Amino acid sequence: MDRPIGSEVSPAPPPEEVTALLEAWRQGDRHALDRLVPQVYSELRRIADRTLRGERAGHTLQPTALVHEAYLKLTGAERPRWNGRIHFFAVAAQLMRRVLVDHARARAAAKRGGDALFVPFDEGHDGAVERAAELIALDDALSALAALDPRKARILELHHFGGLSVEETAEVLGLSTSTIGLEARLARAWLLVEMRSGSSAGRGKSDREPEAP
Amino acid sequence: MTTERFRRLEQAFGELVALPASQRAAALAELAAEEPDLAAELAALLAADAEASPVIEATVAAGARLLAAGPEVGRRIGRYLLEREVGRGGTSTVYLARADDAAPVALKLLERRGDGEEVLRRFENERRILATLEHPGIARLLDVGVTADSRPYVVLEYVQGLPIDAHCDSRGLDLPARIRLFREVCAIVHAAHQRLVVHRDLKPSNVLVDAAGAPKLLDFGIARLLDDASQGAPDRTSTLFVALTPAYASPEQLARGPVTTATDVWSLGVLLTELLTGRRPFRTEGLPPAEVERIVREGPPSFSAASSPRTARLPPDLETILRMALRKEPERRYGSVAQLAEDLGRFLDGRPVAARPDTWAYRTATFVRRHRWSVAAAGAFFALLVAFAAATAVQSARIARERDRAERVSSLLVDLFEVADPTERRGSSVTAREILDRGASRLASELEEEPETRAALQETIGRVYQNLGLFHSAAPPLEQSLATRRRLFPGDHPLVASSLNRLAVVRALAGEYTRAEPLFREALAMRERLLPADDPAVVASVNNLALILHDSGDYAGAERLYRRAVALDRRQPPAERDGTAEINLGLLLVDRGEPAAAAALLGPEVERTREGEGEASPVYAANLGYLGMALQALGRYGEAERLFRRAIAIDGRAQAGEHVALARDLHLLGALLYERGDLDAAEPLLERAQAIRERLLEPGHPELAATLERRARLVAERGDVAGAAALAERALAGFRGALPAGHPSSADALVALAEIRVERGDCAGAAPLVREAVGIRADNLSPADWRTAEARGVLGTAMACAGSAGENERREGERLRAESLVKLSAALPPAHSALRWLGRASALGRTVVE
């Protein structure tokens, strides 16, 4: 029997390479992100899993903490190589969004039903599809916003996926904090309205249609 | 929406929010008049802004949770696209996957990462072996691989079905049906074992049952594969390693020891327990790994059911089977899964199972042997310790409580054995007897707060006394033990039955048959209520009661019960048979005057004991004696003598010092030699037997009485009639005191005493005694039995020589005597004691005239 192993196997990339990928991505190399995501993916999942297990009920999981830890693990570095933490988070925010949304899309695409095979062990299993849909809607709305006003979308992304404060966002984008504040306010409101209206026809990145197998 | 529109919105929004809230509405209304669409949108935006809803944060956080919950769906691993998650365990997740448009497969992805190259290498060997494992009951291994991030995965045939426990519940299967299904599983596992593949991780989720009811096993050997694959993982932090499901892991797996087919036997035992009782045998939920390991490796399994509708208690044979599968030591479990299935098959058929409980427990279901003592005096206090340890293992208590109790008890024992410590300068030598006495007296008042332990210890001490032959010392602790247990367990309970039996045994051995019988009856009734008909404890009780009836002279009743016990015992496989009932039946037949039948029964039993227990065993010695008795009754004196001598040799060596077993052997040989006419050889033997029995038994003990009776005859024959009379009186008193009226042994003493009286010239006084003896023997023996003739001969002699007798009576007496003489001459060798006496009496009869 032929083995698919050959095409899959590559040892975990050395830390320098991860950093290089991140840097390349920051510079605009989109393909770098494609290669980064799988690494970050599993690492993030592991960390999230561990964090969740230690978490008390109701405590929300901080995405940014995950990202930070994942980054450290992958790069093997105590400090990011480039200009400070803020810039790292700026990069990470985008990565995080990509990872979460990709995953949500995959979950939403998965069809449930059929014979009960095994008892699911995680209580998050039920309603997973609904939550996935919400995040997808968020992502679609963000993308719609980006089409109209890239800066506003970026501000939201930095804040919600990167955990940056108003001041930090101002620093990353090179704007004043008051500008950031006002832009963010509108962006939020617009996003909310957009999410609730559910109208993302033609603008969302729904490149994978859920298909009944 | 266009960009311009958006700009317009932005601008308007900015203006509006700059206004104080009270003015916003007006401004908005104004705008609405001019640009209603814009106004509407703005209103929506303002509303959203005012709401300040945290939905965005919540959604992102939920997304992160989603990531943590199961990230892989939609991913492509090798050729396979993961479609959905179908299961998740502690260390791996299983997905329904598909390669291109092919049939669905199950892809099991392991969490941990390994070193890619290493993993591949290890996988290859295993993969090759497992790929050849083709069986309709096993989900085929299709593929193995390693992901980009070095996580191993295996691809298996996709099986649709329910885990076996869910299947059984959903179909409402009863106990036999569950066992039958389980046997099918065993067949599958066995097939794999024959290909040298061990599963290592058998549990309900790995045993699926499809809609047609056919079982299919998953992950065969995968555990090994994944285990190996993770050898190279960089962070092996957890103590419970990759492929262990702790609740199902065997002791050797937890100890990281070698895994064999016996490991699968264990897991199957856990699985079966779960199927039959609804719970696993070891309760480990929620416990830390170290505690789980300790419970599984050291603690006893529990088979109590979770709830109805399953049966409240498992049938004992089934429990025995489970216990055997769950023995801590792999080599003590079933040798193969096929054997486990076989035994289950026997259970379903109602046949006896091959599995036996642990030896010490089996032996505590006491069979009473008539003259059985097994523990040498020197080893008594070690027996105390060993038996105690065994007894406490029966108690299932909480772990902490056990610890406390063990401490308290061991300090008691330590105190006791300080006495035995040679460094303690005490001057006098300490005997086991002293230790026991101290133990008994201390237990009478101590450990009141631990009644179960105390009862167990007291039972143990009682047993040791019994083994030493100190029956009267044994009774008080046993009585206390029984009383305590009756209090603790009102109604029927195995421990109460055991205490009843134990006390009854001791009473019986002490010769107090009338006190023993009701206890035996109660123990038997209780055991019959608690246990199935052929349970060894029930058989033991049947035997014990039969023994009492036997000793009480109810030979018919005894025979019925013996034969019942024998039939039950013969249902066991040869290695597991006990044989006591056979022996006792043999003795009964000897007593009844059917020595040929007795020898036929006893001969094979002796052989079996020799093979089973060894030639140095006191049990073997005892059986030699019994067979000898039968042979003696058949007239085969030479053979009987050899057997008795051999028994003496064994018992003389085995029992340090003097012991009732030795006394018995000496008595038997002495009696034989006397009967044959070798008085010189017989006398010292009987004297010694009497001395031992006098020392160790109560004055009225039937065994002692028997020796006295024999000695009385011998002494009389020597000419010391007065001395003989004294002995015979004692013998008769002993029999009368211990045995019910009409007991055959009484007849012996009556005859002996009558003979002596005749020799002393008191024929009138002899007649009523021997008449009673004749009556007893007529009731219990066949007319052809020589002892009947013996008694009639003595009666005849007494009648003939009594001075007060009339002519008719005298003639009748003469006739009786002559008739007896003829019968005895035909039946017995010339020098037989009965004939010798009649000969003596004839001479007497001529000379004595009253």
Side-chain angles (χ1 to χ4, degrees):
Chain A
M1 108 188 21
D2 71 299
R3 301 180 336 187
I5 297 175
S7 60
E8 278 292 354
V9 159
S10 51
E16 307 77 39
E17 202 178 310
V18 168
T19 314
L21 281 172
L22 281 168
E23 183 62 28
W25 178 39
R26 196 173 83 93
Q27 303 285 1
D29 178 2
R30 291 194 61 79
H31 295 296
L33 185 61
D34 287 340
R35 287 171 59 195
L36 264 176
V37 167
Q39 332 284 3
V40 182
Y41 218 84
S42 50
E43 201 55 52
L44 277 175
R45 200 191 83 70
R46 204 173 55 75
I47 295 165
D49 199 34
R50 199 186 64 221
T51 314
L52 269 180
R53 259 191 264 124
E55 211 183 13
R56 273 176 243 288
H59 196 273
T60 49
L61 188 68
Q62 289 304 318
T64 55
L66 301 189
V67 173
H68 189 197
E69 246 198 278
Y71 175 79
L72 289 177
K73 259 291 166 46
L74 286 166
T75 60
E78 278 303 308
R79 273 179 288 277
R81 289 263 207 92
W82 50 60
N83 312 329
R85 162 184 170 273
I86 294 170
H87 286 276
F88 153 68
F89 275 125
V91 168
Q94 208 171 345
L95 181 59
M96 189 66 188
R97 176 183 166 193
R98 170 71 180 272
V99 165
L100 287 180
V101 172
D102 275 1
H103 172 63
R105 288 192 190 279
R107 286 295 280 254
K111 186 166 172 296
R112 286 168 58 87
D115 290 342
L117 260 200
F118 295 87
V119 177
F121 290 90
D122 52 319
E123 56 290 335
H125 204 75
D126 291 324
V129 177
E130 290 72 31
R131 262 168 252 151
E134 284 163 17
L135 189 60
I136 293 166
L138 176 64
D139 183 62
D140 287 348
L142 260 180
S143 302
L145 181 59
L148 296 168
D149 187 337
R151 197 165 76 193
K152 287 190 178 48
R154 184 81 176 123
I155 289 169
L156 286 187
E157 187 183 78
L158 285 170
H159 179 70
H160 289 292
F161 290 96
L164 289 163
S165 68
V166 172
E167 289 78 13
E168 290 165 335
T169 310
E171 189 185 324
V172 167
L173 294 177
L175 301 168
S176 70
T177 53
S178 54
T179 313
I180 298 291
L182 196 61
E183 298 224 1
R185 194 169 168 183
L186 172 58
R188 277 182 64 97
W190 193 91
L191 205 70
L192 277 169
V193 171
E194 181 71 13
M195 280 170 73
R196 280 169 186 168
S197 74
S199 60
S200 54
R203 279 176 292 160
K205 280 197 297 188
S206 44
D207 49 355
R208 191 182 293 142
E209 259 333 286
E211 174 132 50
Chain B
M1 184 177 295
T2 63
T3 320
E4 292 78 29
R5 179 69 159 203
F6 188 80
R7 291 281 155 254
R8 183 82 184 83
L9 262 178
E10 188 175 3
Q11 189 192 9
F13 183 82
E15 285 165 11
L16 280 171
V17 298
L19 290 175
S22 49
Q23 293 174 18
R24 260 179 232 155
L28 194 58
E30 215 178 283
L31 189 60
E34 293 169 22
E35 301 175 71
D37 293 335
L38 189 69
E41 281 171 26
L42 272 171
L45 284 174
L46 286 170
D49 175 67
E51 203 182 311
S53 157
V55 70
I56 299 176
E57 289 85 346
T59 306
V60 174
R65 285 197 122 80
L66 206 64
L67 181 69
E72 311 292 349
V73 173
R75 195 176 151 184
R76 180 169 281 276
I77 292 182
R79 291 191 294 141
Y80 306 95
L81 175 66
L82 305 186
E83 289 190 6
R84 67 180 162 101
E85 186 177 311
V86 295
R88 187 152 155 199
T91 54
S92 60
T93 316
V94 183
Y95 301 91
L96 172 62
R98 221 180 277 263
D100 310 318
D101 262 327
V105 296
L107 191 146
K108 182 164 183 161
L109 182 63
L110 186 66
E111 297 309 304
R112 294 185 181 267
R113 310 229 201 106
D115 168 30
E117 292 300 328
E118 252 318 278
V119 162
L120 285 187
R121 199 175 55 73
R122 287 175 200 260
F123 261 27
E124 187 47 34
N125 296 333
E126 299 294 338
R127 191 193 61 76
R128 231 179 299 123
I129 297 171
L130 291 174
T132 67
L133 197 60
E134 277 190 44
H135 190 285
I138 299 179
R140 271 198 68 207
L141 175 71
L142 299 170
D143 202 353
V144 300
V146 175
T147 65
D149 50 353
S150 298
R151 283 159 62 191
Y153 65 89
V154 292
V155 181
L156 301 161
E157 183 189 336
Y158 180 69
V159 175
Q160 296 238 56
L162 288 175
I164 188 170
D165 54 350
H167 169 88
C168 289
D169 286 346
S170 78
R171 300 277 176 104
L173 297 184
D174 62 5
L175 192 109
R178 285 167 192 250
I179 294 178
R180 281 193 291 271
L181 180 62
F182 182 80
R183 288 186 74 205
E184 286 181 50
V185 173
C186 287
I188 300 170
V189 175
H190 185 65
H193 284 180
Q194 291 183 314
R195 312 257 188 83
L196 306 181
V197 178
V198 178
H199 191 290
R200 290 163 64 124
D201 196 21
L202 283 166
K203 52 189 173 179
S205 57
N206 278 339
V207 182
L208 298 190
V209 185
D210 67 16
K216 202 130 177 162
L217 269 55
L218 308 184
D219 289 3
F220 232 109
I222 304 302
R224 170 87 185 267
L225 207 93
L226 297 177
D227 206 5
D228 283 352
S230 299
Q231 294 293 330
D235 49 3
R236 276 178 65 159
T237 49
S238 84
T239 53
L240 284 182
F241 200 47
V242 172
L244 284 185
T245 311
Y248 296 88
S250 63
E252 64 270 18
Q253 279 175 308
L254 290 169
R256 318 283 177 275
V259 166
T260 65
T261 55
T263 309
D264 277 352
V265 171
W266 169 282
S267 306
L268 286 171
V270 176
L271 180 62
L272 184 58
T273 306
E274 203 170 345
L275 289 182
L276 299 179
T277 66
R279 285 167 152 180
R280 287 193 287 276
F282 300 95
R283 309 289 151 78
T284 57
E285 295 84 3
L287 293 175
E291 192 61 22
V292 169
E293 186 168 337
R294 203 187 61 80
I295 287 174
V296 171
R297 287 178 72 181
E298 295 170 26
S302 152
F303 303 109
S304 56
S307 61
S308 55
R310 292 192 195 88
T311 52
R313 280 177 66 120
L314 288 180
D317 267 356
L318 203 47
E319 207 175 289
T320 309
I321 291 175
L322 288 169
R323 282 184 195 278
M324 182 147 172
L326 292 172
R327 295 240 171 100
K328 310 290 183 197
E329 305 88 345
E331 65 277 5
R332 293 191 64 220
R333 298 174 202 150
Y334 285 99
S336 69
V337 172
Q339 285 177 18
L340 168 60
E342 234 176 85
D343 234 12
L344 287 169
R346 285 194 199 100
F347 169 78
L348 288 177
D349 288 345
R351 288 181 283 145
V353 299
R356 285 262 66 93
D358 284 332
T359 315
W360 67 263
Y362 187 61
R363 298 228 165 104
T364 59
T366 320
F367 282 72
V368 168
R369 289 190 179 250
R370 235 181 132 176
H371 307 282
R372 181 185 182 179
W373 296 271
S374 56
V375 178
F381 49 95
F382 293 119
L384 173 68
L385 275 178
V386 167
F388 167 64
T392 48
V394 170
Q395 320 288 344
S396 57
R398 316 202 103 178
I399 292 144
R401 240 193 87 201
E402 244 178 5
R403 239 199 321 274
D404 291 344
R405 173 172 62 190
E407 274 165 15
R408 262 189 286 244
V409 168
S410 56
S411 60
L412 173 75
L413 290 174
V414 162
D415 285 354
L416 285 183
F417 297 128
E418 272 174 13
V419 172
D421 187 348
T423 65
E424 285 254 337
R425 294 154 211 278
R426 308 237 331 152
S428 63
S429 65
V430 178
T431 62
R433 177 78 188 265
E434 278 183 27
I435 294 173
L436 279 176
D437 288 346
R438 275 168 67 110
S441 74
R442 283 187 63 171
L443 274 177
S445 52
E446 289 183 30
L447 280 187
E448 294 217 15
E449 67 282 8
E450 298 273 10
E452 282 186 45
T453 309
R454 187 170 161 221
L457 267 178
Q458 282 174 321
E459 184 181 46
T460 304
I461 285 190
R463 264 171 42 208
V464 180
Y465 272 126
Q466 171 198 322
N467 287 337
L468 289 175
L470 306 169
F471 311 120
H472 284 271
S473 304
L478 290 176
E479 279 182 319
Q480 263 194 308
S481 177
L482 174 62
T484 306
R485 283 172 170 172
R486 279 204 204 268
R487 232 184 17 255
L488 287 173
F489 314 109
D492 294 346
H493 193 281
L495 283 177
V496 175
S498 163
S499 275
L500 280 167
N501 183 70
R502 174 79 50 201
L503 181 59
V505 162
V506 159
R507 291 256 176 253
L509 290 170
E512 300 166 18
Y513 299 139
T514 41
R515 292 175 78 175
E517 187 180 345
L519 295 170
F520 278 129
R521 284 197 187 277
E522 193 183 348
L524 175 59
M526 196 178 288
R527 282 173 167 172
E528 279 176 326
R529 286 194 295 270
L530 286 172
L531 303 165
D534 60 343
D535 185 278
V538 172
V539 177
S541 281
V542 171
N543 172 79
N544 294 351
L545 185 57
L547 197 57
I548 287 301
L549 297 181
H550 180 172
D551 282 340
S552 305
D554 178 8
Y555 287 170
E559 185 178 358
R560 263 196 312 276
L561 286 174
Y562 280 141
R563 290 205 182 272
R564 180 175 150 198
V566 167
L568 291 170
D569 189 46
R570 284 192 175 157
R571 284 170 63 177
Q572 317 297 340
E576 305 299 331
R577 283 172 48 193
D578 181 79
T580 302
E582 264 103 335
I583 298 286
N584 289 339
L585 180 57
L587 292 173
L588 178 71
L589 292 169
V590 169
D591 287 347
R592 280 256 296 251
E594 295 174 61
L601 204 59
L602 291 167
E605 225 13 71
V606 166
E607 262 316 292
R608 210 180 56 77
T609 327
R610 190 171 66 85
E611 280 163 24
E613 311 255 353
E615 289 199 355
S617 147
V619 173
Y620 175 56
N623 290 348
L624 285 171
Y626 305 143
L627 180 58
M629 287 164 67
L631 293 175
Q632 177 179 344
L634 282 171
R636 290 152 65 173
Y637 292 118
E639 290 172 69
E641 182 180 344
R642 269 198 303 280
L643 294 181
F644 291 147
R645 289 198 187 275
R646 213 183 315 162
I648 288 173
I650 295 172
D651 280 329
R653 263 198 306 274
Q655 325 284 357
E658 299 194 316
H659 195 283
V660 283
L662 185 60
R664 175 200 65 221
D665 300 330
L666 292 168
H667 169 98
L668 286 173
L669 182 59
L672 171 73
L673 293 172
Y674 168 72
E675 200 168 282
R676 252 189 19 195
D678 190 349
L679 268 65
D680 291 332
E683 194 160 17
L685 293 166
L686 288 174
E687 277 173 357
R688 195 161 157 223
Q690 180 185 334
I692 297 174
R693 283 175 164 175
E694 266 171 345
R695 204 168 56 77
L696 296 180
L697 303 173
E698 291 304 307
H701 198 288
E703 312 265 318
L704 175 58
T707 307
L708 291 169
E709 183 261 327
R710 289 286 104 181
R711 264 202 78 217
R713 291 187 189 228
L714 186 148
V715 164
E717 197 162 337
R718 285 273 199 230
D720 176 11
V721 181
L727 289 169
E729 299 276 9
R730 278 176 65 192
L732 186 59
F735 285 136
R736 281 209 164 121
L739 307 172
H743 193 284
S745 295
S746 307
D748 297 342
L750 286 165
V751 169
L753 194 52
E755 286 179 357
I756 292 163
R757 285 192 179 170
V758 165
E759 288 180 56
R760 291 176 88 175
D762 179 16
C763 292
L769 294 177
V770 69
R771 225 172 241 125
E772 195 185 330
V774 167
I776 292 173
R777 285 184 173 174
D779 284 340
N780 286 283
L781 305 173
S782 80
D785 193 298
W786 68 265
R787 289 170 287 183
T788 309
E790 181 200 30
R792 290 162 71 93
V794 174
L795 178 60
T797 310
M799 285 164 70
C801 77
S804 54
E807 188 55 35
N808 283 339
E809 200 179 314
R810 217 185 303 253
R811 220 171 305 137
E812 180 60 25
E814 289 281 353
R815 193 191 63 74
L816 265 177
R817 194 172 53 121
E819 189 183 282
S820 302
L821 199 56
V822 167
K823 282 187 178 162
L824 289 171
S825 303
L828 301 171
H832 193 283
S833 55
L835 288 167
R836 295 199 311 268
W837 190 83
L838 275 179
R840 281 204 315 278
S842 295
L844 289 169
R846 272 195 213 113
T847 57
V848 171
V849 173
E850 290 182 15

